[in-house]
Amino acid sequence: PRGAEFRLWAPLATSVEVQLFIDGPKSPTKSLAMTKEDRGYFHAVWNEGREGLLYKFQLDGKSALPDPTSRYQ
C-alpha cells in the first residue's frame, strides 16, 4: 500500500497537525491538519507518504514534537 497514515492520542489538544520533513530534517515542507476523532484521537492520511518519512506532531500550534511511539525519530 502506498501512503502514510498518522494517528495520535492527544485528549487535551484542540488541534493537531503533522509537520512533514520531505526535503530533510532541517525544516518542515508540508503540514497536514489532523481530524479529531472519538476518545481523544487525531487522524490524518497523506497519499504521497513513504517509508522513512520524517515527521513531527504539532499540538495547538505549539512546538512540534517527535512521534512518541516511533523507534526511528
Side-chain angles (χ1 to χ4, degrees):
R2 188 178 164 122
E5 183 172 8
F6 304 92
R7 181 166 275 117
L8 179 71
W9 184 68
L12 301 179
T14 56
S15 66
V16 179
E17 290 186 357
V18 182
Q19 302 291 321
L20 303 171
F21 295 77
I22 299 166
D23 297 327
K26 298 285 184 193
S27 61
T29 20
K30 184 167 183 65
S31 177
L32 295 176
M34 298 182 75
T35 303
K36 190 168 190 171
E37 298 181 334
D38 293 337
R39 299 186 181 122
Y41 285 92
F42 288 81
H43 178 256
V45 174
W46 187 44
N47 292 329
E48 298 174 39
R50 64 191 184 289
E51 187 175 329
L53 176 68
L54 297 176
Y55 64 93
K56 291 185 178 183
F57 293 113
Q58 186 175 31
L59 285 67
D60 296 329
K62 298 178 182 171
S63 296
L65 305 168
D67 185 342
T69 63
S70 173
R71 294 180 184 178
Y72 180 72
Q73 301 188 75

